[in-house]
Amino acid sequence: MLADIPIAQLRVFLHVVDTKSYRIAAEKVRRSQPAVSKTIQLLEEKLGAPLFEADRRTTLTGFGKVCEPLARELVKHHDRIVETLLSQSRQRAGTLTLASIGSFATNWLPAVIKDFMARHAGAAVRLIDDNSENIHRMVLSGEVDFGLSSEISITPELDFIPLIEDAFGLVCHAGHPLARHRRLEWAALADVPLLGTTAHRELEGTPEAKWLERCFFHVSNMMTLTAMLSNRIDVTILPRLAVPAFAKDLRFIPLVRPSRHRRIGIVKVKATSLPPLAQAMERDLMAYAASHGNARARLRQRQ
């Protein structure tokens, strides 16, 4: 069996080598000189050969010369690992990997991540933009620490912690006849050609889904959908946050009677603890949603 050699014994050995004095080495480790001598003796017994010459107690033997660089490498490696572990536990370093739906990543995450990075200067953040189904798959497989998505396709293995509600509305070009309305009832869609999108899956199972049955042109990419709308090719139904901020020529008109919302929240593996950095980000997101969510929702209702 391999000998169990404490790092502390190797440190004492290196102090004796560096200072060429048992007395000074004892001062550095805050122990008595006899205790240092005993530590060297125990280390030699475990290694099975003397480290220092018997008549010159600070002169390395041939075996000691072989051990010295290896001991330094082992102590440095130990210290690096311990520092990394402590940094992780203190949320100073490491990599946080998140997956988010594009609308949340664009409208909410920048402010949260900016503050997070300022408080965790040694940390790195990796953000993956994808749809809710793929995000749930990545969370389950361990590819990401947690996800930010809607509830669609949530499985029993996942926990969903809601952060915000996002209202559905009609999205059209500013020049469209419906753009002048502040609100619209769903019945107003009866004779309106609609572009289909993956966001419509959020409405499956609701009575309002019937208004989406006449979508004969479907677009899955948000950039393409925005281009179609900007070129006045029909209109579509989207959650408010899904409307790109850069699309200044598009209008969002809330749909009412009834109002329909999707919930966006944190998705993580059930009964599994998050790493320290992920826990910190989870707290930041929940705090930000609590302080900003209601105000933003009221603002959007007035728009």
Side-chain angles (χ1 to χ4, degrees), residues 7-21 25 28-29 40 43 51-52 60 64 67-76:
I7 291 294
Q9 290 184 355
L10 294 176
R11 289 191 197 280
V12 169
F13 164 61
L14 293 173
H15 281 314
V16 174
V17 172
D18 292 339
T19 63
K20 299 190 180 304
S21 167
K28 285 185 175 293
V29 296
I40 296 298
L43 181 58
L51 295 166
F52 297 99
L60 290 170
C67 289
E68 179 197 352
L70 297 175
R72 290 190 191 279
E73 181 182 349
L74 182 57
V75 170
K76 286 181 179 179

Side-chain angles (χ1 to χ4, degrees), residues 6-282:
I7 291 294
Q9 290 184 355
L10 294 176
R11 289 191 197 280
V12 169
F13 164 61
L14 293 173
H15 281 314
V16 174
V17 172
D18 292 339
T19 63
K20 299 190 180 304
S21 167
Y22 278 71
R23 178 183 62 79
I24 298 176
E27 292 175 356
K28 285 185 175 293
V29 296
R30 298 182 179 180
R31 300 179 66 184
S32 66
Q33 186 171 329
V36 168
S37 297
K38 182 63 175 177
T39 297
I40 296 298
Q41 179 185 343
L42 291 173
L43 181 58
E44 290 176 330
E45 290 175 357
K46 288 182 178 180
L47 293 173
L51 295 166
F52 297 99
E53 298 290 354
D55 56 344
R56 290 169 291 169
R57 297 181 60 224
T58 60
T59 300
L60 290 170
T61 62
F63 175 68
K65 291 177 181 177
V66 172
C67 289
E68 179 197 352
L70 297 175
R72 290 190 191 279
E73 181 182 349
L74 182 57
V75 170
K76 286 181 179 179
H77 180 69
H78 169 273
D79 291 349
R80 283 195 300 269
I81 295 298
V82 170
E83 179 58 32
T84 299
L85 294 174
L86 291 175
S87 294
Q88 290 276 0
S89 68
R90 296 166 185 165
Q91 303 164 8
R92 290 201 313 259
T95 300
L96 169 65
T97 305
L98 303 175
S100 175
I101 56 175
S103 56
F104 193 86
T106 301
N107 291 279
W108 277 75
L109 277 185
V112 179
I113 289 179
K114 181 180 179 180
D115 290 343
F116 180 86
M117 296 294 287
R119 289 183 289 102
H120 304 274
V125 177
R126 179 170 174 254
L127 177 61
I128 302 171
D129 184 342
D130 214 321
N131 61 49
S132 290
E133 289 188 31
N134 284 338
I135 288 171
H136 299 170
R137 176 187 56 76
M138 286 187 278
V139 172
L140 283 170
S141 67
E143 294 175 53
V144 297
D145 293 317
F146 65 83
L148 296 161
S149 74
S150 68
E151 294 174 277
I152 189 171
S153 78
I154 284 288
T155 66
E157 296 85 6
L158 295 173
D159 272 334
F160 179 82
I161 304 172
L163 292 173
I164 62 171
E165 288 191 344
D166 193 13
F168 278 90
L170 178 79
V171 181
C172 62
H173 188 272
H176 194 281
L178 293 175
R180 69 178 185 272
H181 294 272
R182 294 189 61 189
R183 291 178 176 80
L184 284 170
E185 295 185 14
W186 287 87
L189 305 178
D191 298 316
V192 179
L194 294 174
L195 292 172
T197 80
T198 54
H200 293 171
R201 290 194 57 193
E202 303 278 354
L203 293 168
E204 289 180 358
T206 69
E208 289 65 46
K210 67 181 180 181
W211 303 112
L212 306 176
E213 294 174 356
R214 296 174 58 254
C215 295
F216 299 108
F217 184 20
H218 291 261
V219 182
S220 60
N221 181 276
M222 183 54 65
M223 293 294 291
T224 303
L225 178 63
T226 302
M228 296 292 178
L229 295 170
S230 294
N231 282 278
R232 309 188 187 204
I233 302 177
D234 295 343
V235 300
T236 194
I237 306 301
L238 287 175
R240 178 65 183 85
L241 288 178
V243 182
F246 61 81
K248 304 299 183 183
D249 57 344
L250 299 184
R251 296 292 180 268
F252 175 86
I253 302 99
L255 286 163
V256 296
R257 295 187 182 180
S259 295
R260 289 293 178 188
H261 300 78
R262 65 170 178 174
R263 292 200 304 174
I264 300 175
I266 295 169
V267 179
K268 57 184 181 179
V269 177
K270 191 170 291 184
T272 301
S273 297
L274 294 174
L277 278 176
Q279 290 180 22
M281 175 58 82
E282 179 184 37

Side-chain angles (χ1 to χ4, degrees), residues 275-294:
L277 278 176
Q279 290 180 22
M281 175 58 82
E282 179 184 37
R283 290 193 296 269
D284 287 358
L285 285 164
M286 294 176 69
Y288 190 81
S291 61
H292 292 75
N294 292 334

